[in-house]
Amino acid sequence: AQSVAQPEDQVNVAEGNPLTVKCTYSVSGNPYLFWYVQYPNRGLQFLLKYITGDNLVKGSYGFEAEFNKSQTSFHLKKPSALVSDSALYFCAAVFNDYKLSFGAGTTVTVRA
Amino acid sequence: DARVTQTPRHKVTEMGQEVTMRCQPILGHNTVFWYRQTMMQGLELLAYFRNRAPLDDSGMPKDRFSAEMPDATLATLKIQPSEPRDSAVYFCASGLVLASGSPAGGETQYFGPGTRLLVL
């Protein structure tokens, strides 16, 4: 079955350290891949997406993600985390149609 | 700053009552999505519209949920009768699929702030 997995429920980092949020997908073919962030009591905000082309995608707020077809991964990264990056992050994929399939989410906590 | 708007932001009602949630997509967008978010199930797609036509409502309980787009600036999600298990946050999202170019499903979805529904 086609699915998106975020293997970590929580990620804790110190401010200024690199931040990585992991995402893997299970599908044959090439999905479209997205990252969204959700702050408390807010809707989801789009960060970046991969459709085709360069495997390294740069997005909002200094985030980037790398599409790795051999590892079926699309990890989100930020070189230097800020306290304000603390939020819930969702990886999502469109497989064969328009439907976004979301991962379960990863809660990121950046401590000062 | 174009945004998706949703009303009401919060709704508390009693079991059996009708609930109507409204969404105004970003002007010019031609796709609208309704999602439900719960702790147990995460984010689930309920319905999908393109150019105001419903293309998929397979995620909705058909006996009590209905979704419509009376015009390009308004999408509605109705629950009648509501049940306690419908308590969740309901999100609307909109996007733009170009006539040519953008692959179907590749458009960015922009989410509204959500309607937090509590059915007692």
Side-chain angles (χ1 to χ4, degrees):
Chain A
Q2 298 166 339
S3 63
V4 175
Q6 293 180 242
E8 299 164 317
D9 291 337
Q10 292 201 345
V11 170
N12 298 303
V13 298
E15 189 172 35
N17 282 2
L19 170 62
T20 298
V21 187
K22 296 180 181 176
C23 173
T24 59
Y25 62 91
S26 172
V27 68
S28 58
N30 294 322
Y32 305 140
L33 297 161
F34 299 76
W35 276 102
Y36 284 84
V37 60
Q38 185 177 27
Y39 296 99
N41 300 314
R42 303 282 295 276
L44 279 69
Q45 294 180 31
F46 169 75
L47 284 178
L48 50 79
K49 68 180 177 183
Y50 173 81
I51 304 296
T52 187
D54 194 347
N55 289 344
L56 183 63
V57 179
K58 293 189 184 295
S60 306
Y61 311 121
F63 284 96
E64 61 185 30
E66 185 167 13
F67 172 64
N68 188 318
K69 187 172 183 178
S70 63
Q71 297 186 1
T72 61
S73 67
F74 190 58
H75 301 331
L76 181 70
K77 297 182 180 182
K78 186 170 183 179
S80 178
L82 302 172
V83 172
S84 57
D85 293 328
S86 299
L88 180 58
Y89 290 79
F90 289 99
C91 181
V94 173
F95 295 112
N96 296 321
D97 52 25
Y98 47 80
K99 294 182 183 179
L100 264 182
S101 294
F102 285 89
T106 298
T107 299
V108 170
T109 302
V110 182
R111 59 185 185 279
Chain B
D1 186 20
R3 296 185 184 192
V4 175
T5 58
Q6 290 185 248
T7 56
R9 293 293 311 276
H10 302 272
K11 176 73 176 180
V12 180
T13 191
E14 292 186 345
M15 183 173 63
Q17 297 298 305
E18 177 178 300
V19 175
T20 298
M21 291 169 270
R22 294 176 174 80
C23 166
Q24 184 172 14
I26 292 173
L27 190 64
H29 280 188
N30 59 1
T31 60
V32 170
F33 302 77
W34 281 104
Y35 291 91
R36 176 169 61 185
Q37 185 179 36
T38 61
M39 290 293 291
M40 294 300 294
Q41 300 296 327
L43 278 156
E44 306 171 276
L45 178 67
L46 298 176
Y48 169 61
F49 290 78
R50 182 179 290 192
N51 296 322
R52 293 178 55 203
L55 293 193
D56 188 345
D57 60 2
S58 58
M60 287 199 313
K62 300 290 190 304
D63 56 338
R64 298 185 300 106
F65 284 62
S66 62
E68 296 179 347
M69 277 201 76
D71 60 61
T73 64
L74 177 65
T76 62
L77 180 66
K78 238 175 237 188
I79 309 174
Q80 170 62 25
S82 58
E83 297 181 1
R85 59 180 167 151
D86 300 329
S87 298
V89 182
Y90 291 81
F91 289 106
C92 173
S94 72
L96 176 62
V97 174
L98 301 176
S100 63
S102 296
E107 78 271 28
T108 299
Q109 295 181 28
Y110 294 90
F111 284 72
T115 294
R116 187 174 296 273
L117 174 65
L118 177 61
V119 183
L120 302 173

